[in-house]
Amino acid sequence: MLELKHIKKYYQVGDTLTKAQDDVSVAFRKQEFVAILGPSGSGKTTMLNIIGGLDRYDSGDLLIKGKSTKTFKDSDWDAYRNNSVGFIFQSYNIITHLSIIDNVEMGMTLSGVDAATKRKKAEDALIRVGLKEHMHKKPTQLSGGQMQRVAIARAIANDPEILLADEPTGALDSETSQEIMKLIKELSKERLVIMVTHNPDLAYQYADRIIKFADGQIQDDSHPHVEGDKEDDFKLKRTKMSYITALRLSFNNIRTKKGRTFLTMFASSIGIIGIAIVLALSNGFQKQIDKTQAETLSTMPVTISPVGTDTSAAMESTSRSKSFSKNKYVTAETSAADKAQHVNKLNTKYLNYVNGMSKTLAKNIAVTYGTGMNLVRDANGKYQTVKFSNANPDSNTTDTSAMMAAATGVGGSVYPIDRNGNQSFLKKNYKVLNGAYPTKDTDIVLVVDRDNVVNINALKNLGFKVKENQKFDYSKLVGKTVKLVTNNDYYTKLPTGNFMPGTDYKAMAGKSNTKTLTITAVVRVRSKKSDGLLASGIAYSDQLTKTVLNENKNSAIVKAQKATNKNVMTGETMDATTASSMLTVLGGSKTPSSIQIYPTNFKDKDKVLDYLDKFNKGKSKKDKVIYTDMAGTVSDMTGGLMDAITYVLVAFAGISLVTSMIMIAIITYTSVLERTKEIGVLKALGARKKDITRVFDAETAILGVGAGVLGIIIAWLCTFPINAVLLGMTDLSNVAVLNPVHAIVLVIISTVLTILGGHVPARMAAKKDAAQALRAE
Ligand code: ADP
Ligand code: MG
């Protein structure tokens, strides 16, 4: 059955050489009960371990059923231990965090026996060793004799051909020893049993054959055996631990140390908590910053007016000498303010340049013109002229252009249609209280302030009869229409050559070129900060202005006005400024009264400014166009600083993550040390190195997932008090928001890092010499 041929095993420790096996040759029968006697340190255990495949011989050969083991690989030894050998140890070596049944099943679990067969065989084995009544107890509730019976059941559960026992009664009282010996004697009837013992009485009483051992050599053999030539062929079934088994083993182990496990998880989760909170905060702050930026920029667009202020020029001329002048004359000089005045040439070329700007930088660009609109409306049963204006209709003004403007309805607010043709500006900043957002150029809206108040003049100018504080149902406003009349239909040329506004408003309203403007909605600003973005009253799209401009630019009155510097209505001579504003109001000037560019955030705004600056490059002073960047004066709380802070905080939290990873490694290492015996037992039962690694990897994976989840839960709980404190300090609500994607990623990171940290000790555990592991106390 088994044959040792010239087996040698030496240990060299320092200068001393121990010959644990010194040329041992012996053969064993297929069925016999062999007792090995000998003084301590004589090499008995070493021989048993070599026979059982737990330890390797230096030279010689071990033949199993005539087959040499010289060429055995690790996997062959693992399978041999699992299939053919059962071990019984002096110190039982029961895995205490597993149930009795699980202990007995372990060998079969490793070789992948199905659950039902496994359970049946385990129960049979337990009944056989006389533990029928005790099999559902915990290992720690058993006496020494009972523990050894469990160990015996574990050894025979898989019905091995060889049973190896190393001083099985060494820790038992004499009565119990007798019982165990009887049991082993019984088992030896079906297999080869080799038992090492200190106790010659027991050996002589039960064994069939006594081998005396001393100094690594066989001194005496009571019943030697010579192996025959050939035995039945010898096949081994490979062992393999499933991931589930590894997880279960580790989970059971962790379960027995709840407190420590929780503390470990908590400590390891601190890094995750830190990173999660930092991310949650920066998330929230970024959102706030984006919101603030967008709000600031929608109220403070980059503006280009016909007359710009050149701030650098203004600075230059305000500098004065420190002392008083000694000159005896007076010098004339343009004032600083006048010098700074710069006339911008807002011609088509510039407009095209502005429109050439990338849509991603500024979706909304509003170009407004001072064009007036000829508006009439059927108010109170009678057609009359109306205006989009908040000017007091009852007050008198002496300024002709203002009078003109008032008469022709320049006023109301203009909002941009974005460059993709959408109402993004209005939708983003204004909420519809009643009605619907405009869909056409001829759709107009009534803007109210935060208190739903509208300027009374706006309504008066629309022809409503209004008393102070009068309340209007939305239905009184939404759906109301105003007629927009072209210059040619509105003005009549008199025989004198002068033009006069007509008076038959009803007829004008019916003309084919007349457009119907409809109030489609009452809208209110969404955010307090953008209040006043559009003045309360009527607002219409810049597209409508462009339409009016295009329609009127070739009208008779515009042509006539262009030809003269006399007012074509009154015949008065006008100065250049008045003449030009007159032409503008009539729709004869293509010069915009302002261009407003709305970038989405500060970064984009800087790019917009760069783009505008590029236009001025290399141009003479008079051809330059100067813009006003109102938002530039607002403190630049850009995301850049926030990003930097986030990186620093994440770095700190990352350090704690690494710290916790190192801690996990240390804890796994401790666990490896603690479970050395268990590793030995698992190996004796046929576990591969990989299986051992798997068990510890599984343990760290459980710890990692646990730490990650715990960390996320704690971080999430922390966001509530953090938000409460922030709300109290800054009136920003819900700043810390944990992004679920971040949460999942962090759990994964925690798991991966923990497994990495625990893998090195796990590998160390797997490499542990099984024989040595079992010697450990
Ligand atoms: P026994 O079981 O008969 O008491 P062992 O087989 O355990 O004896 O040991 C035989 C000899 O080998 C002893 O002298 C022991 O100190 C030595 N020995 C066993 N294992 C090692 C080891 N890993 N390193 C060094 N010496 C060892
Ligand atoms: Mg020993």
Side-chain angles (χ1 to χ4, degrees), residues 30-89:
K30 201 174 157 70
Q31 187 269 310
E32 62 177 337
F33 188 173
V34 185
I36 297 175
L37 283 171
S40 184
S42 57
K44 304 182 299 291
T45 299
T46 308
M47 185 168 92
L48 215 56
N49 285 346
I50 286 174
I51 291 173
L54 270 179
D55 213 349
R56 304 282 172 274
Y57 46 85
D58 293 343
S59 65
D61 195 4
L62 168 69
L63 294 124
I64 305 164
K65 292 181 181 174
K67 190 178 162 62
S68 167
T69 56
K70 274 182 183 164
T71 54
F72 261 34
K73 294 192 291 284
D74 275 354
S75 58
D76 296 317
W77 285 117
D78 294 337
Y80 166 61
R81 285 198 306 276
N82 182 269
N83 304 167
S84 308
V85 186
F87 278 98
I88 306 169
F89 310 97

Side-chain angles (χ1 to χ4, degrees), residues 44-45 166-167 196 775:
K44 304 182 299 291
T45 299
D166 195 352
E167 307 200 25
V196 168
R775 278 175 201 271

Side-chain angles (χ1 to χ4, degrees), residues 533-677:
L533 186 54
L534 297 174
S536 91
I538 291 294
Y540 48 92
S541 79
D542 57 351
Q543 208 51 48
L544 179 63
T545 333
K546 279 180 201 154
T547 314
V548 172
L549 194 71
N550 278 332
E551 211 143 72
N552 288 341
K553 69 180 176 202
N554 292 322
S555 63
I557 188 168
V558 166
K559 279 184 182 157
Q561 186 62 68
K562 271 186 180 164
T564 173
N565 65 350
K566 283 189 178 151
N567 186 320
V568 289
M569 288 195 267
T570 59
E572 278 170 25
T573 311
M574 300 182 291
D575 57 53
T577 329
T578 320
S580 118
S581 37
M582 176 76 183
L583 201 57
T584 303
V585 168
L586 288 175
S589 168
K590 271 193 169 175
T591 310
S593 60
S594 79
I595 303 171
Q596 287 171 317
I597 305 169
Y598 296 88
T600 11
N601 55 41
F602 278 76
K603 243 186 230 160
D604 285 348
K605 192 200 72 183
D606 288 341
K607 287 190 195 144
V608 167
L609 298 186
D610 285 347
Y611 182 82
L612 295 179
D613 287 339
K614 232 199 263 160
F615 179 85
N616 289 339
K617 230 181 204 161
K619 290 212 165 57
S620 65
K621 195 168 183 285
K622 68 176 175 34
D623 285 333
K624 282 186 177 155
V625 174
I626 290 171
Y627 55 78
T628 315
D629 170 23
M630 284 182 282
T633 54
V634 177
S635 85
D636 244 55
M637 198 174 74
T638 49
L641 182 65
M642 195 58 215
D643 285 350
I645 294 172
T646 307
Y647 289 142
V648 170
L649 291 179
V650 166
F652 274 118
I655 290 171
S656 56
L657 199 63
V658 170
T659 314
S660 55
M661 180 177 142
I662 292 170
M663 213 180 57
I664 289 273
I666 293 169
I667 285 163
T668 314
Y669 181 66
T670 323
S671 182
V672 166
L673 291 183
E674 249 178 24
R675 295 168 76 183
T676 302
K677 265 287 173 63

Side-chain angles (χ1 to χ4, degrees), residues 367-375 388 408-411 414 441-444 482-491 513-517 540-558 583-590:
V367 182
T368 42
Y369 299 90
T371 317
M373 287 191 257
N374 311 312
L375 303 172
F388 295 156
T408 50
V410 180
V414 179
D441 296 345
T442 51
D443 289 347
I444 59 179
V482 177
K483 299 287 181 184
L484 172 65
V485 185
T486 63
N487 276 356
N488 284 346
D489 291 336
Y490 193 77
Y491 295 101
N513 283 334
T514 297
K515 287 190 163 63
T516 306
L517 309 182
Y540 48 92
S541 79
D542 57 351
Q543 208 51 48
L544 179 63
T545 333
K546 279 180 201 154
T547 314
V548 172
L549 194 71
N550 278 332
E551 211 143 72
N552 288 341
K553 69 180 176 202
N554 292 322
S555 63
I557 188 168
V558 166
L583 201 57
T584 303
V585 168
L586 288 175
S589 168
K590 271 193 169 175

Side-chain angles (χ1 to χ4, degrees), residues 117 185 360 514:
T117 318
K185 174 83 188 168
T360 52
T514 297

